[in-house]
Protein backbone atom coordinates (compact mmCIF):
# COMPACT_ATOMS: atom_id res chain seq x y z
CA UNK A 1 0.00 0.00 0.00
CA UNK A 2 1.31 3.41 -0.96
CA UNK A 3 1.23 5.73 2.03
CA UNK A 4 2.72 9.21 2.10
CA UNK A 5 3.37 10.98 5.38
CA UNK A 6 3.05 14.75 5.75
CA UNK A 7 6.24 16.80 5.86
CA UNK A 8 5.35 18.13 9.30
CA UNK A 9 4.87 14.70 10.84
CA UNK A 10 7.98 13.34 9.16
CA UNK A 11 10.12 16.27 10.38
CA UNK A 12 8.75 15.98 13.90
CA UNK A 13 9.42 12.24 14.00
CA UNK A 14 12.98 12.66 12.72
CA UNK A 15 13.69 15.31 15.34
CA UNK A 16 12.29 13.09 18.09
CA UNK A 17 14.51 10.21 17.04
CA UNK A 18 17.60 12.43 17.07
CA UNK A 19 17.16 13.41 20.72
CA UNK A 20 19.55 11.83 23.20
CA UNK A 21 16.80 11.46 25.79
CA UNK A 22 14.66 9.48 23.33
CA UNK A 23 17.57 7.27 22.33
CA UNK A 24 18.22 6.67 26.01
CA UNK A 25 14.57 5.76 26.62
CA UNK A 26 14.45 3.42 23.63
CA UNK A 27 17.57 1.57 24.76
CA UNK A 28 16.16 1.32 28.27
CA UNK A 29 13.00 -0.32 26.92
CA UNK A 30 15.05 -2.98 25.17
CA UNK A 31 17.11 -3.67 28.28
CA UNK A 32 13.97 -3.66 30.42
CA UNK A 33 12.24 -6.51 28.57
CA UNK A 34 13.08 -9.10 31.22
CA UNK A 35 11.50 -6.97 33.89
CA UNK A 36 8.31 -6.33 31.95
CA UNK A 37 7.99 -10.05 31.29
CA UNK A 38 8.36 -10.85 34.98
CA UNK A 39 5.70 -8.27 35.80
CA UNK A 40 3.49 -9.83 33.14
CA UNK A 41 3.87 -13.26 34.75
CA UNK A 42 2.94 -11.82 38.14
CA UNK A 43 -0.06 -9.87 36.85
CA UNK A 44 -1.58 -12.72 34.84
CA UNK A 45 -1.72 -14.86 38.00
CA UNK A 46 -4.04 -12.26 39.54
CA UNK A 47 -7.20 -13.38 37.78
CA UNK A 48 -9.59 -10.66 36.64
CA UNK A 49 -12.81 -11.86 35.00
CA UNK A 50 -14.86 -9.08 33.45
CA UNK A 51 -16.57 -7.15 36.23
CA UNK A 52 -14.38 -8.75 38.89
CA UNK A 53 -11.11 -6.91 38.41
CA UNK A 54 -10.73 -5.64 41.99
CA UNK A 55 -7.70 -7.74 42.98
CA UNK A 56 -5.75 -6.92 39.84
CA UNK A 57 -6.76 -3.28 40.14
CA UNK A 58 -5.34 -2.99 43.65
CA UNK A 59 -2.08 -4.61 42.56
CA UNK A 60 -1.74 -2.44 39.47
CA UNK A 61 -2.46 0.69 41.49
CA UNK A 62 0.33 -0.16 43.91
CA UNK A 63 2.76 -0.64 41.04
CA UNK A 64 1.87 2.80 39.69
CA UNK A 65 2.32 4.38 43.11
CA UNK A 66 5.78 2.85 43.44
CA UNK A 67 6.71 4.46 40.14
CA UNK A 68 5.89 7.84 41.64
CA UNK A 69 2.84 8.76 39.59
CA UNK A 70 0.38 11.31 40.95
CA UNK A 71 -3.23 10.96 42.01
CA UNK A 72 -3.23 7.18 41.77
CA UNK A 73 -6.76 6.00 42.49
CA UNK A 74 -9.52 3.60 41.54
CA UNK A 75 -12.47 5.49 40.05
CA UNK A 76 -16.21 4.78 40.12
CA UNK A 77 -15.88 2.42 37.16
CA UNK A 78 -13.20 0.36 38.88
CA UNK A 79 -10.53 1.78 36.58
CA UNK A 80 -7.02 2.39 37.94
CA UNK A 81 -6.01 5.96 37.11
CA UNK A 82 -2.63 7.68 37.49
CA UNK A 83 -1.09 10.88 36.13
CA UNK A 84 2.40 11.81 35.01
CA UNK A 85 2.43 15.59 34.81
CA UNK A 86 3.74 17.47 31.80
CA UNK A 87 4.37 21.18 31.46
CA UNK A 88 0.68 21.82 30.84
CA UNK A 89 1.43 23.26 27.40
CA UNK A 90 0.25 20.25 25.42
CA UNK A 91 -2.76 17.95 25.04
CA UNK A 92 -3.82 15.59 27.77
CA UNK A 93 -3.03 12.09 26.52
CA UNK A 94 -4.60 8.86 27.76
CA UNK A 95 -2.66 5.59 27.51
CA UNK A 96 -4.71 2.57 28.59
CA UNK A 97 -4.93 -1.20 28.62
CA UNK A 98 -7.83 -3.22 29.96
CA UNK A 99 -7.44 -5.29 33.11
CA UNK A 100 -10.16 -7.87 32.53
CA UNK A 101 -9.88 -11.21 30.78
CA UNK A 102 -12.53 -13.59 29.48
CA UNK A 103 -11.64 -16.40 31.90
CA UNK A 104 -13.46 -17.28 35.14
CA UNK A 105 -11.62 -17.62 38.44
CA UNK A 106 -9.62 -20.84 38.66
CA UNK A 107 -8.59 -20.91 35.00
CA UNK A 108 -5.01 -19.65 35.39
CA UNK A 109 -2.82 -22.23 37.09
CA UNK A 110 0.58 -20.86 36.18
CA UNK A 111 2.68 -19.50 33.34
CA UNK A 112 4.59 -21.81 31.03
CA UNK A 113 7.60 -20.66 29.03
CA UNK A 114 8.60 -22.72 26.00
CA UNK A 115 9.52 -22.38 22.32
CA UNK A 116 9.92 -18.62 22.67
CA UNK A 117 6.42 -18.05 24.02
CA UNK A 118 4.74 -17.42 27.35
CA UNK A 119 1.60 -19.52 27.77
CA UNK A 120 -1.28 -18.65 30.10
CA UNK A 121 -4.94 -17.66 29.74
CA UNK A 122 -4.95 -13.88 29.36
CA UNK A 123 -1.18 -13.57 28.96
CA UNK A 124 -1.71 -11.34 25.97
CA UNK A 125 -5.27 -10.06 26.02
CA UNK A 126 -4.81 -7.74 27.73
CA UNK A 127 -2.52 -8.36 30.69
CA UNK A 128 0.50 -7.68 28.52
CA UNK A 129 -0.72 -4.10 28.02
CA UNK A 130 -0.48 -3.43 31.76
CA UNK A 131 3.17 -4.50 31.91
CA UNK A 132 3.83 -2.37 28.83
CA UNK A 133 2.42 0.72 30.53
CA UNK A 134 4.73 0.14 33.46
CA UNK A 135 7.69 -0.22 31.11
CA UNK A 136 6.85 3.03 29.31
CA UNK A 137 6.70 4.92 32.61
CA UNK A 138 10.10 3.58 33.70
CA UNK A 139 11.64 4.54 30.36
CA UNK A 140 10.31 8.10 30.58
CA UNK A 141 11.68 8.45 34.10
CA UNK A 142 15.05 6.89 33.30
CA UNK A 143 15.59 9.21 30.34
CA UNK A 144 14.34 12.26 32.22
CA UNK A 145 11.75 13.08 29.58
CA UNK A 146 9.19 15.72 30.42
CA UNK A 147 6.27 15.89 28.06
CA UNK A 148 4.27 19.01 27.21
CA UNK A 149 0.96 17.25 27.78
CA UNK A 150 -0.08 15.43 30.93
CA UNK A 151 0.00 11.65 30.53
CA UNK A 152 -2.87 9.70 32.05
CA UNK A 153 -2.19 5.99 32.54
CA UNK A 154 -5.28 3.85 33.06
CA UNK A 155 -6.03 0.17 33.62
CA UNK A 156 -9.62 -0.10 32.44
CA UNK A 157 -12.36 -2.53 33.45
CA UNK A 158 -15.15 -4.37 31.65
CA UNK A 159 -13.74 -4.26 28.15
CA UNK A 160 -14.60 -7.82 27.20
CA UNK A 161 -17.90 -9.38 26.19
CA UNK A 162 -20.85 -8.39 28.33
CA UNK A 163 -18.73 -5.61 29.80
CA UNK A 164 -19.23 -3.71 26.55
CA UNK A 165 -16.20 -1.41 27.00
CA UNK A 166 -17.87 -0.23 30.20
CA UNK A 167 -14.75 0.94 32.04
CA UNK A 168 -13.62 3.10 29.13
CA UNK A 169 -17.12 4.52 28.74
CA UNK A 170 -17.19 5.50 32.42
CA UNK A 171 -13.70 6.98 32.35
CA UNK A 172 -14.23 9.18 29.29
CA UNK A 173 -17.64 10.24 30.55
CA UNK A 174 -16.00 11.47 33.75
CA UNK A 175 -12.88 12.92 32.10
CA UNK A 176 -14.02 15.14 29.27
CA UNK A 177 -10.63 16.88 29.21
CA UNK A 178 -8.86 13.96 27.49
CA UNK A 179 -7.55 15.23 24.15
CA UNK A 180 -5.95 12.09 22.70
CA UNK A 181 -6.59 8.43 23.47
CA UNK A 182 -4.11 5.59 22.96
CA UNK A 183 -5.02 1.96 23.66
CA UNK A 184 -2.90 -1.18 23.75
CA UNK A 185 -5.02 -4.17 22.79
CA UNK A 186 -3.93 -5.88 19.62
CA UNK A 187 -2.16 -9.17 19.01
CA UNK A 188 0.38 -7.92 16.49
CA UNK A 189 2.07 -4.53 16.73
CA UNK A 190 2.10 -4.34 12.91
CA UNK A 191 -1.63 -3.64 12.90
CA UNK A 192 -2.77 -0.02 12.84
CA UNK A 193 -6.28 0.09 14.28
CA UNK A 194 -7.74 3.55 13.78
CA UNK A 195 -11.32 2.73 12.79
CA UNK A 196 -14.09 1.55 15.09
CA UNK A 197 -16.49 -1.27 14.26
CA UNK A 198 -19.91 -0.61 15.74
CA UNK A 199 -21.89 -3.46 17.22
CA UNK A 200 -24.79 -4.45 19.45
CA UNK A 201 -25.69 -7.49 21.52
CA UNK A 202 -29.33 -8.26 22.28
CA UNK A 203 -31.38 -10.71 24.29
CA UNK A 204 -34.79 -11.49 22.83
CA UNK A 205 -37.44 -13.41 24.77
CA UNK A 206 -40.36 -15.25 23.17
CA UNK A 207 -43.52 -15.89 25.23
CA UNK A 208 -46.49 -18.24 25.00
CA UNK A 209 -48.89 -20.22 27.19
CA UNK A 210 -46.89 -23.40 27.63
CA UNK A 211 -48.29 -26.84 28.39
CA UNK A 212 -47.92 -30.60 28.05
CA UNK A 213 -45.86 -31.67 25.04
CA UNK A 214 -48.52 -34.25 24.04
CA UNK A 215 -51.72 -33.20 25.74
CA UNK A 216 -51.49 -29.55 24.74
CA UNK A 217 -50.07 -30.18 21.30
CA UNK A 218 -52.02 -28.34 18.61
CA UNK A 219 -53.76 -26.18 21.17
CA UNK A 220 -51.05 -23.54 21.40
CA UNK A 221 -48.10 -21.99 19.58
CA UNK A 222 -44.64 -22.81 20.85
CA UNK A 223 -42.21 -20.03 21.85
CA UNK A 224 -39.14 -22.21 21.31
CA UNK A 225 -40.29 -23.01 17.79
CA UNK A 226 -40.78 -19.29 17.14
CA UNK A 227 -37.24 -18.68 18.37
CA UNK A 228 -35.95 -21.42 16.07
CA UNK A 229 -37.80 -19.91 13.12
CA UNK A 230 -36.19 -16.55 13.90
CA UNK A 231 -32.71 -18.08 14.10
CA UNK A 232 -33.22 -19.87 10.79
CA UNK A 233 -34.24 -16.63 9.10
CA UNK A 234 -31.25 -14.78 10.51
CA UNK A 235 -28.94 -17.61 9.44
CA UNK A 236 -29.98 -17.04 5.82
CA UNK A 237 -28.99 -13.36 5.79
CA UNK A 238 -26.33 -12.19 3.36
CA UNK A 239 -24.21 -9.23 4.45
CA UNK A 240 -21.48 -7.28 2.64
CA UNK A 241 -17.80 -8.19 2.87
CA UNK A 242 -16.90 -4.52 2.48
CA UNK A 243 -17.73 -2.74 4.66
CA UNK A 244 -17.28 -5.84 6.76
CA UNK A 245 -20.52 -6.76 8.50
CA UNK A 246 -21.26 -9.76 10.70
CA UNK A 247 -23.99 -11.43 12.74
CA UNK A 248 -24.01 -14.33 15.18
CA UNK A 249 -26.78 -15.98 17.20
CA UNK A 250 -24.63 -17.17 20.07
CA UNK A 251 -27.22 -18.56 22.48
CA UNK A 252 -30.68 -20.16 22.33
CA UNK A 253 -32.52 -21.89 25.13
CA UNK A 254 -35.93 -22.59 26.61
CA UNK A 255 -37.49 -24.93 29.12
CA UNK A 256 -35.49 -27.23 31.38
CA UNK A 257 -34.75 -30.91 31.92
CA UNK A 258 -37.50 -31.26 34.50
CA UNK A 259 -39.97 -30.12 31.86
CA UNK A 260 -38.49 -32.14 29.03
CA UNK A 261 -42.00 -33.24 28.05
CA UNK A 262 -43.43 -29.73 28.21
CA UNK A 263 -44.00 -26.94 25.73
CA UNK A 264 -41.88 -24.17 27.25
CA UNK A 265 -43.70 -20.94 27.97
CA UNK A 266 -40.57 -18.91 27.26
CA UNK A 267 -37.55 -19.13 24.97
CA UNK A 268 -34.56 -16.84 24.65
CA UNK A 269 -31.99 -16.07 22.00
CA UNK A 270 -28.92 -13.84 22.28
CA UNK A 271 -27.13 -12.43 19.29
CA UNK A 272 -24.47 -9.96 18.25
CA UNK A 273 -24.12 -8.02 15.02
CA UNK A 274 -21.40 -5.61 13.87
CA UNK A 275 -20.39 -3.48 10.93
CA UNK A 276 -17.72 -1.04 9.89
CA UNK A 277 -20.55 1.01 8.40
CA UNK A 278 -23.16 2.72 10.61
CA UNK A 279 -25.61 2.51 7.71
CA UNK A 280 -25.14 -1.25 7.31
CA UNK A 281 -25.48 -1.68 11.07
CA UNK A 282 -28.81 0.13 11.03
CA UNK A 283 -30.06 -1.93 8.09
CA UNK A 284 -29.04 -5.20 9.73
CA UNK A 285 -30.71 -4.28 13.02
CA UNK A 286 -33.99 -3.57 11.21
CA UNK A 287 -33.73 -6.79 9.23
CA UNK A 288 -33.11 -8.88 12.36
CA UNK A 289 -36.08 -7.54 14.25
CA UNK A 290 -38.32 -7.86 11.19
CA UNK A 291 -37.29 -11.52 11.01
CA UNK A 292 -38.17 -12.03 14.67
CA UNK A 293 -41.58 -10.44 14.18
CA UNK A 294 -42.20 -12.62 11.10
CA UNK A 295 -41.19 -15.75 13.01
CA UNK A 296 -43.62 -15.00 15.83
CA UNK A 297 -46.41 -14.28 13.36
CA UNK A 298 -45.76 -17.50 11.43
CA UNK A 299 -45.73 -19.63 14.58
CA UNK A 300 -48.91 -17.95 15.80
CA UNK A 301 -50.71 -18.39 12.46
CA UNK A 302 -49.69 -22.05 12.21
CA UNK A 303 -51.79 -22.96 15.26
CA UNK A 304 -54.26 -20.09 15.38
CA UNK A 305 -54.95 -20.63 19.07
CA UNK A 306 -52.85 -18.05 20.93
CA UNK A 307 -50.25 -15.39 20.15
CA UNK A 308 -46.49 -15.56 20.53
CA UNK A 309 -45.20 -12.29 21.88
CA UNK A 310 -41.62 -11.09 22.28
CA UNK A 311 -39.51 -8.41 23.86
CA UNK A 312 -35.90 -7.35 23.56
CA UNK A 313 -33.13 -6.14 25.82
CA UNK A 314 -30.00 -4.35 24.65
CA UNK A 315 -27.20 -6.14 26.49
CA UNK A 316 -24.32 -4.05 25.20
CA UNK A 317 -23.68 -1.44 22.57
CA UNK A 318 -20.26 -0.86 21.02
CA UNK A 319 -19.98 2.55 19.35
CA UNK A 320 -18.38 2.85 15.95
CA UNK A 321 -16.80 5.58 13.90
CA UNK A 322 -14.24 6.47 11.25
CA UNK A 323 -11.03 8.51 11.22
CA UNK A 324 -8.83 9.67 8.39
CA UNK A 325 -6.01 7.29 7.53
CA UNK A 326 -3.75 10.36 7.40
CA UNK A 327 -4.63 11.75 10.80
CA UNK A 328 -1.35 12.63 12.61
CA UNK A 329 -1.64 9.73 15.08
CA UNK A 330 -1.78 7.20 12.27
CA UNK A 331 1.12 8.82 10.46
CA UNK A 332 3.18 8.84 13.66
CA UNK A 333 2.42 5.19 14.28
CA UNK A 334 3.28 4.34 10.67
CA UNK A 335 6.66 6.03 10.99
CA UNK A 336 7.29 4.33 14.31
CA UNK A 337 6.66 0.87 12.89
CA UNK A 338 8.83 1.53 9.84
CA UNK A 339 11.69 2.72 12.06
CA UNK A 340 11.50 -0.58 13.95
CA UNK A 341 11.58 -2.65 10.78
CA UNK A 342 7.91 -3.61 11.03
CA UNK A 343 5.74 -3.40 7.93
CA UNK A 344 2.54 -1.54 8.90
CA UNK A 345 -0.83 -3.15 8.24
CA UNK A 346 -3.83 -0.85 7.98
CA UNK A 347 -6.75 -2.56 9.66
CA UNK A 348 -10.29 -1.79 8.55
CA UNK A 349 -12.44 -1.58 11.62
CA UNK A 350 -11.76 -2.73 15.14
CA UNK A 351 -13.54 -3.42 18.39
CA UNK A 352 -11.43 -2.07 21.24
CA UNK A 353 -11.63 0.64 23.86
CA UNK A 354 -10.52 3.05 21.12
CA UNK A 355 -14.09 2.76 19.78
CA UNK A 356 -15.38 4.83 22.67
CA UNK A 357 -12.94 7.67 22.08
CA UNK A 358 -13.48 7.64 18.31
CA UNK A 359 -17.25 7.81 18.75
CA UNK A 360 -16.75 10.88 20.97
CA UNK A 361 -14.60 12.65 18.39
CA UNK A 362 -11.36 12.14 20.34
CA UNK A 363 -8.37 11.25 18.12
CA UNK A 364 -7.59 7.65 19.02
CA UNK A 365 -5.44 4.71 18.06
CA UNK A 366 -5.10 1.11 19.22
CA UNK A 367 -1.61 -0.40 19.16
CA UNK A 368 -0.23 -3.90 19.57
CA UNK A 369 1.28 -5.94 22.39
CA UNK A 370 3.93 -8.04 20.67
CA UNK A 371 6.39 -8.31 17.83
CA UNK A 372 5.06 -11.26 15.85
CA UNK A 373 6.38 -11.22 12.27
CA UNK A 374 6.12 -14.99 11.86
CA UNK A 375 2.79 -15.44 13.62
CA UNK A 376 -0.67 -15.31 12.17
CA UNK A 377 -2.37 -13.01 14.69
CA UNK A 378 -5.09 -15.62 15.20
CA UNK A 379 -2.52 -18.23 16.19
CA UNK A 380 -1.88 -16.55 19.52
CA UNK A 381 -5.21 -18.14 20.48
CA UNK A 382 -6.78 -15.14 22.14
CA UNK A 383 -9.68 -16.04 24.46
CA UNK A 384 -8.35 -19.59 24.62
CA UNK A 385 -6.80 -21.36 27.58
CA UNK A 386 -3.87 -21.99 25.21
CA UNK A 387 -3.22 -18.27 24.72
CA UNK A 388 0.42 -17.39 24.12
CA UNK A 389 2.66 -14.35 23.74
CA UNK A 390 5.86 -14.29 21.64
CA UNK A 391 8.82 -13.07 23.68
CA UNK A 392 11.53 -12.44 21.11
CA UNK A 393 11.63 -8.76 20.23
CA UNK A 394 8.60 -8.03 22.39
CA UNK A 395 10.28 -4.82 23.57
CA UNK A 396 9.64 -3.36 20.11
CA UNK A 397 5.94 -3.09 20.93
CA UNK A 398 6.80 -1.04 24.01
CA UNK A 399 9.13 1.16 21.94
CA UNK A 400 6.33 1.75 19.44
CA UNK A 401 3.92 2.81 22.17
CA UNK A 402 6.58 5.11 23.66
CA UNK A 403 7.24 6.85 20.34
CA UNK A 404 3.58 7.40 19.51
CA UNK A 405 2.95 8.66 23.04
CA UNK A 406 5.77 11.22 22.72
CA UNK A 407 4.57 12.34 19.29
CA UNK A 408 1.09 12.81 20.75
CA UNK A 409 2.14 14.69 23.90
CA UNK A 410 5.21 16.59 22.68
CA UNK A 411 8.50 16.98 24.55
CA UNK A 412 9.23 20.09 26.58
CA UNK A 413 11.52 22.46 24.67
CA UNK A 414 11.88 20.17 21.67
CA UNK A 415 8.63 19.78 19.74
CA UNK A 416 4.91 20.15 20.31
CA UNK A 417 2.26 17.53 19.82
CA UNK A 418 2.01 16.34 16.26
CA UNK A 419 -1.74 16.92 16.56
CA UNK A 420 -1.30 20.63 17.19
CA UNK A 421 -1.16 23.00 14.26
Amino acid sequence: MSYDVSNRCSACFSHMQSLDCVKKAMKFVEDDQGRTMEELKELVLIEAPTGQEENRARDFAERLKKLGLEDVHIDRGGNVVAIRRGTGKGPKVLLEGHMDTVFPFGTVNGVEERDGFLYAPGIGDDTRALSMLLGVIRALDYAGIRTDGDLVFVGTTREEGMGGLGGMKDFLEDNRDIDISLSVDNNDMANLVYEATGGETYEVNFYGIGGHAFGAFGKMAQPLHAAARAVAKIADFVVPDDPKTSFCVSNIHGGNDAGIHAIASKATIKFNFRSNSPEELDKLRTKIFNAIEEACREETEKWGKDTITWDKKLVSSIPGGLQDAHMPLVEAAYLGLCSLGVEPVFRKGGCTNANVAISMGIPALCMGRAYAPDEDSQNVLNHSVHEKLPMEGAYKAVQQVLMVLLMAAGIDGEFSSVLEE
Side-chain angles (χ1 to χ4, degrees):
M1 173 182 176
S2 176
Y3 186 81
D4 297 320
V5 176
S6 68
N7 291 334
R8 180 174 177 275
C9 190
S10 181
C12 182
F13 187 82
S14 295
H15 179 60
M16 179 190 70
Q17 282 198 306
S18 73
L19 298 175
D20 288 340
C21 62
V22 173
K23 293 177 182 178
K24 189 175 181 180
M26 293 285 280
K27 181 62 169 62
F28 176 87
V29 168
E30 182 175 357
D31 295 340
D32 194 49
Q33 172 158 313
R35 190 173 183 181
T36 59
M37 288 299 177
E38 287 305 311
E39 288 175 321
L40 172 57
K41 293 175 186 178
E42 293 166 359
L43 284 163
V44 80
L45 295 176
I46 306 170
E47 295 178 290
T50 301
Q52 298 174 291
E53 303 93 342
E54 295 88 350
N55 293 337
R56 183 172 286 184
R58 284 192 291 270
D59 182 275
F60 190 55
E62 286 303 312
R63 292 173 190 267
L64 293 172
K65 288 177 183 177
K66 288 178 181 177
L67 289 175
L69 271 68
E70 298 181 28
D71 193 24
V72 180
H73 66 280
I74 297 176
D75 69 9
R76 73 174 177 91
N79 304 300
V80 179
V81 183
I83 298 176
R84 189 178 190 273
R85 299 286 179 193
T87 65
K89 297 183 294 185
K92 196 169 191 177
V93 183
L94 165 66
L95 178 60
E96 68 86 27
H98 68 84
M99 295 186 293
D100 59 318
T101 73
V102 300
F103 305 100
F105 286 120
T107 306
V108 183
N109 297 309
V111 181
E112 183 181 2
E113 182 177 335
R114 60 180 166 85
D115 304 325
F117 291 88
L118 291 179
Y119 290 81
I123 194 74
D125 189 8
D126 195 24
T127 317
R128 165 64 173 160
L130 304 180
S131 70
M132 289 174 67
L133 265 60
L134 298 173
V136 166
I137 297 166
R138 282 195 296 271
L140 292 169
D141 291 345
Y142 179 81
I145 295 175
R146 190 178 188 196
T147 54
D148 277 345
D150 290 347
L151 306 180
V152 185
F153 294 88
V154 179
T156 47
T157 60
R158 293 168 289 130
E159 191 272 349
E160 299 284 8
M162 301 288 272
L165 317 184
M168 186 69 158
K169 289 176 180 176
D170 287 344
F171 177 79
L172 289 179
E173 177 67 28
D174 294 345
N175 295 271
R176 295 300 183 115
D177 57 346
I178 294 296
D179 298 302
I180 300 169
S181 179
L182 302 175
S183 297
V184 181
D185 187 10
N186 195 335
N187 292 335
D188 187 348
M189 65 179 288
N191 292 321
L192 291 172
V193 181
Y194 62 96
E195 294 183 344
T197 302
E200 295 176 353
T201 300
Y202 279 89
E203 174 185 298
V204 171
N205 297 301
F206 301 78
Y207 303 96
I209 297 173
H212 195 281
F214 185 77
F217 181 78
K219 299 178 181 178
M220 61 187 62
Q222 301 194 30
L224 189 50
H225 289 189
R229 289 175 187 272
V231 173
K233 290 176 183 291
I234 294 169
D236 284 338
F237 287 173
V238 176
V239 293
D241 293 328
D242 188 14
K244 185 173 181 179
T245 303
S246 70
F247 58 88
C248 174
V249 179
S250 55
N251 189 294
I252 179 170
H253 64 270
N256 53 58
D257 286 347
I260 196 67
H261 293 148
I263 297 171
S265 60
K266 177 183 176 183
T268 300
I269 63 172
K270 295 178 182 177
F271 54 87
N272 171 272
F273 55 99
R274 309 183 192 197
S275 181
N276 289 340
S277 162
E279 293 77 17
E280 289 296 333
L281 191 74
D282 289 343
K283 288 196 300 186
L284 185 53
R285 183 192 306 106
T286 298
K287 195 173 180 180
I288 288 172
F289 288 122
N290 283 345
I292 291 170
E293 181 62 32
E294 289 173 6
C296 290
R297 184 171 62 250
E298 290 172 3
E299 177 64 16
T300 296
E301 291 175 352
K302 176 178 175 63
W303 305 105
K305 300 293 177 71
D306 65 331
T307 301
I308 298 293
T309 60
W310 63 281
D311 60 26
K312 66 180 184 291
K313 174 184 176 183
L314 179 63
V315 176
S316 68
S317 176
I318 306 300
L322 300 174
Q323 297 181 118
D324 193 319
H326 278 282
M327 64 179 293
L329 274 184
V330 179
E331 291 192 346
Y334 176 89
L335 291 170
L337 290 175
C338 291
S339 74
L340 294 169
V342 178
E343 184 176 355
V345 177
F346 291 83
R347 284 273 301 275
K348 286 192 174 183
C351 190
T352 70
N353 273 337
N355 286 46
V356 184
I358 293 170
S359 72
M360 296 173 69
I362 301 170
L365 185 71
C366 181
M367 295 174 283
R369 313 179 263 261
Y371 176 60
D374 300 320
E375 288 294 309
D376 180 328
S377 63
Q378 298 306 311
N379 285 341
V380 297
L381 301 173
N382 267 16
H383 294 191
S384 159
V385 294
H386 305 292
E387 189 172 343
K388 62 184 181 180
L389 180 86
M391 292 187 292
E392 184 177 355
Y395 66 87
K396 290 186 177 183
V398 185
Q399 290 178 329
Q400 168 71 351
V401 171
L402 174 64
M403 288 190 289
V404 175
L405 181 66
L406 292 175
M407 290 284 282
I411 296 181
D412 182 29
E414 297 294 347
F415 61 88
S416 59
S417 168
V418 73
L419 275 79
E420 294 183 342
E421 295 297 333

